[in-house]
Amino acid sequence: MRKNSLSAVEAQVNQDSPMYHDTWKLLKSYRDAVWNLELAVQQVRHSFQIEFGSSIDEFLDSIYLAGADVGGSKLEEYAKSIERSNKMLNTLTAAVDLMRTKHKHGEQYYWILYYSYLSPQELQNTEEIIDKLRPHIANISHRTYYRKRPAAIEALSTILWGYTSKNCISVLNQFFPEENSLA
């Protein structure tokens, strides 16, 4: 076994951590969140067009020019909800991009997460995912996929949520073994 690979026990501990499950839940709901955000934006645009006979941008420009305040209105509630969802999706996208470009296995992890959770169309089964991964990961097998997927989620988790204190102590001990053994 390579020094850098996780043992089965370590992988299970990582999968049991709340941080892993938060990221996994976020990834599992990604397609639905994107779809719902797109629908919400379209519904708001359509409602504005019907109600005000103009686009949202034109409407907001006219309100601001007139000095009107839309605070506390349904419009403001919709806008804040859409903005929150969009920020969450942008944060996830930025974290995935960072992992892809900076992590030592980033490119492989990116494609694993993309075909497992992020692609617009959900693939039907693991076999389809592995078929899509073959151009990106040489000799990918079911076993390799199931071993690397939790590692990809864990790598993304560290970007989204930061290192846990346990991880920080382990890293510090590698750089400063004498100083941290006293703590």
Side-chain angles (χ1 to χ4, degrees):
M1 180 176 277
R2 291 188 341 230
K3 183 178 177 181
N4 291 337
S5 63
L6 293 174
S7 70
V9 172
E10 288 173 320
Q12 186 60 45
V13 168
N14 289 340
Q15 289 179 27
D16 289 340
S17 81
M19 183 172 68
Y20 175 92
H21 288 285
D22 289 346
T23 305
W24 183 74
K25 286 178 188 175
L26 180 61
L27 289 169
K28 292 288 282 183
S29 63
Y30 178 81
R31 286 183 186 102
D32 289 337
V34 169
W35 173 248
N36 289 330
L37 181 60
E38 288 177 12
L39 286 178
V41 169
Q42 288 301 320
Q43 288 172 345
V44 169
R45 283 187 179 145
H46 184 70
S47 295
F48 267 85
Q49 191 65 40
I50 290 172
E51 191 168 334
F52 300 104
S54 66
S55 72
I56 295 172
D57 293 329
E58 292 168 350
F59 177 79
L60 290 174
D61 286 343
S62 67
I63 285 180
Y64 293 136
L65 285 174
D69 181 19
V70 292
S73 69
K74 202 171 193 176
L75 168 63
E76 184 183 37
E77 291 174 34
Y78 281 135
K80 283 183 179 182
S81 176
I82 290 170
E83 182 182 13
R84 274 193 312 272
S85 297
N86 196 36
K87 282 182 180 178
M88 185 253 329
L89 294 175
N90 287 339
T91 299
L92 178 60
T93 300
V96 168
D97 289 344
L98 181 63
M99 179 196 68
R100 183 179 188 183
T101 58
K102 301 295 183 184
H103 191 277
K104 63 184 174 183
H105 302 294
E107 191 67 18
Q108 287 185 0
Y109 289 176
Y110 168 79
W111 289 111
I112 289 169
L113 294 177
Y114 180 79
Y115 289 121
S116 299
Y117 306 106
L118 306 174
S119 63
Q121 295 297 318
E122 184 174 3
L123 300 175
Q124 295 301 310
N125 54 46
T126 306
E127 193 60 47
E128 279 190 64
I129 294 171
I130 291 173
D131 284 344
K132 294 283 190 181
L133 288 172
R134 284 200 169 100
H136 307 286
I137 303 173
N139 302 318
I140 184 88
S141 65
H142 281 79
R143 185 175 178 184
T144 303
Y145 170 74
Y146 283 114
R147 181 174 45 84
K148 289 188 177 218
R149 187 178 63 176
I153 295 171
E154 185 69 23
L156 183 60
S157 290
T158 59
I159 295 168
L160 286 170
W161 320 115
Y163 280 107
T164 63
S165 59
K166 177 183 169 186
N167 290 346
C168 287
I169 290 171
S170 140
V171 170
L172 285 173
N173 283 336
Q174 290 176 1
F175 288 104
F176 308 105
E178 298 85 31
E179 294 175 22
N180 291 318
S181 63
L182 301 174

